[in-house]
Amino acid sequence: MPDEPAPAAPVPPPGPVEFRVDTRLAALKVTGAVVFLLLAVVFRGDPGRTAFAAIGGAVLAGYAARDLFVPRRLSADADGVTVVEGFARRRRLAWAEIERVRVDERRRLGTRSELLEIDTGETLHLFSGYDLGMPVGQAAQALAALAPPGLTSAPTRQG
């Protein structure tokens, strides 16, 4: 009897994935906030410069706080995705609620930007490579491996 090929082992579904802010970027924001706040102290005799430095430091400190307290911006598993809304609120979306996941690429004035879009029909959740801690295309591929067939779409290019 000829050797028959062994039946292929079932492929396990991919495990959950998480996308986090790059810690180097968070550290850069903290450093920038400290520098701006120190400049506010140095320029305390000039109200305009003090205000500018203090506002810049406060804004960077706010962004840094979000990166430190909510580093995981997106996670996904076989049941759906969890996204961050607003400053730090999390929302769970079942795959059935999601109409489309795509990469939006735009080119303008010699620059290129990419965003991962998760569209529920009522809300649109946007994530940059900075939010995801990896290139947007790679994140989209990881989500496509977990999503039901036919959900994700090809990158959209707008110039």
Side-chain angles (χ1 to χ4, degrees):
M1 203 185 250
D3 290 333
E4 293 181 19
V11 177
V17 293
E18 277 188 358
F19 304 99
R20 305 173 76 80
V21 172
D22 188 346
T23 55
R24 295 173 297 182
L25 182 61
L28 185 63
K29 290 176 185 176
V30 169
T31 303
V34 169
V35 167
F36 269 95
L37 294 173
L38 286 174
L39 286 173
V41 172
V42 169
F43 294 132
R44 67 180 172 264
D46 183 349
R49 288 182 178 180
T50 301
F52 178 79
I55 291 169
V59 168
L60 275 175
Y63 283 123
R66 182 177 190 224
D67 288 353
L68 295 172
F69 295 124
V70 190
R72 188 183 64 198
R73 301 294 166 83
L74 175 66
S75 60
D77 57 29
D79 298 324
V81 299
T82 302
V83 298
V84 171
E85 288 186 328
F87 189 77
R89 188 176 60 232
R90 295 194 187 281
R91 180 176 174 197
R92 180 71 179 170
L93 301 169
W95 286 115
E97 295 176 67
I98 299 171
E99 292 182 4
R100 179 175 46 190
V101 176
R102 70 182 184 134
V103 176
D104 181 45
E105 181 182 324
R106 296 177 188 261
R107 295 179 187 270
R108 182 161 187 206
L109 301 174
T111 63
R112 188 185 102 199
S113 67
E114 289 184 330
L115 292 174
L116 178 69
E117 293 183 357
I118 299 176
D119 187 358
T120 66
E122 294 179 12
T123 58
L124 183 64
H125 303 277
L126 303 171
F127 300 94
S128 69
Y130 296 115
D131 290 322
L132 302 170
M134 67 172 44
V136 174
Q138 287 179 6
Q141 289 175 350
L143 288 177
L146 290 167
L151 177 67
T152 58
S153 62
T156 299
R157 289 180 172 76
Q158 297 183 1

